[in-house]
Amino acid sequence: MFFFILCKTKEEQMNFNPVVCAIVAVGPENVIGKDNVMPWHCPTDLQFFRKTTMGYPCIFGRKTFAGMGNKPLGGRINVVLSSQYNNHWADDNLWLGKSVEDAIMSFNHCQKIFVCGGAQVYKYAFDNDLIDVFYLTKIENADLQSQIQQAPEKYTYFPVNIDMFFKSDKWAKKQIAYQNKKTQIDVTQTKSTFWEYTRIRKKYTNPINNSK
């Protein structure tokens, strides 16, 4: 199997870490899953995910990967995390590792690396200040919202309060104009909007040079 991974130049590898991105689709009530799969079908979001992550390593927790049928995504290195794994290649595009940090270090030659879930992996990455860019799909579906409200315990939730967390001046927010070119009419009754949050990091000033 051949696929193209977008990597940095040798000069960039010596001076920068990869841009660590998180990407998630969040439904009503902050839901991201049920039984390790998304409880909706949204072709536009699936296309957006594919276009955004193509060519870059994608990090999944073991349960999330199992929810994908244990089948690696094409055109990307699939990084699956578990405390039971040693850092090693299991296939041409499947790498098994212990932690998000191990994955970042192992693929620091790449321009970007994507954290793709599940909830525990997202929580760890945000709690440890690892995310530079956050891609969010907001899913709206009235029927699903009603189902969640009737049995909230059956669902998995995004572990970050998006409205509160990204209100700070540490993040720049913009809406992404994206349309599924193949599906002009949404037959699933599911609406989606796309957002990008970029962390604003202060530039480092050398105190020695600054004192002159």
Side-chain angles (χ1 to χ4, degrees), residues 12-189:
E12 288 175 326
Q13 292 178 38
M14 295 176 61
N15 294 287
F16 299 98
N17 293 319
V19 176
V20 181
C21 307
I23 185 167
V24 67
V26 174
E29 311 296 332
N30 230 32
V31 159
I32 60 172
K34 181 183 180 184
D35 299 326
N36 296 318
V37 296
M38 291 183 294
W40 58 74
H41 178 63
C42 183
T44 305
D45 176 57
L46 295 175
Q47 189 185 75
F48 175 78
F49 177 89
R50 185 178 188 276
K51 180 180 179 181
T52 304
T53 62
M54 182 59 68
Y56 300 109
C58 293
I59 301 173
F60 304 96
R62 179 180 57 83
K63 292 182 179 179
T64 299
F65 189 68
M68 297 161 51
N70 292 310
K71 296 179 180 179
L73 300 176
R76 287 146 285 192
I77 295 174
N78 294 251
V79 178
V80 182
L81 303 182
S82 172
S83 59
Q84 303 173 4
Y85 295 154
N86 294 318
N87 298 332
H88 69 282
W89 289 96
D91 206 340
D92 289 344
N93 66 335
L94 179 59
W95 190 84
L96 306 180
K98 286 184 176 294
S99 69
V100 177
E101 287 95 341
D102 286 346
I104 293 172
M105 290 298 296
S106 296
F107 297 100
N108 66 354
H109 57 286
C110 296
Q111 294 175 349
K112 297 178 181 178
I113 187 166
F114 281 85
V115 175
C116 303
Q120 293 182 354
V121 177
Y122 286 130
K123 178 174 172 52
Y124 182 89
F126 278 102
D127 284 353
N128 288 275
D129 198 29
L130 299 178
I131 302 302
D132 300 304
V133 180
F134 177 50
Y135 294 95
L136 169 68
T137 302
K138 289 186 177 180
I139 299 292
E140 297 180 25
N141 185 303
D143 291 340
L144 175 60
Q145 185 165 10
S146 177
Q147 294 170 18
I148 295 169
Q149 291 171 345
Q150 292 175 15
E153 71 282 357
K154 294 183 179 181
Y155 295 85
T156 302
Y157 299 84
F158 191 62
V160 174
N161 186 320
I162 295 172
D163 292 335
M164 294 297 295
F165 187 85
F166 294 102
K167 273 187 176 180
S168 72
D169 57 2
K170 295 180 180 179
W171 296 88
K173 174 183 177 182
K174 70 175 182 180
Q175 185 169 4
I176 301 173
Y178 185 81
Q179 183 179 15
N180 189 335
K181 297 179 181 179
K182 296 182 180 179
T183 308
Q184 299 297 333
I185 300 176
D186 182 7
V187 296
T188 66
Q189 302 302 313

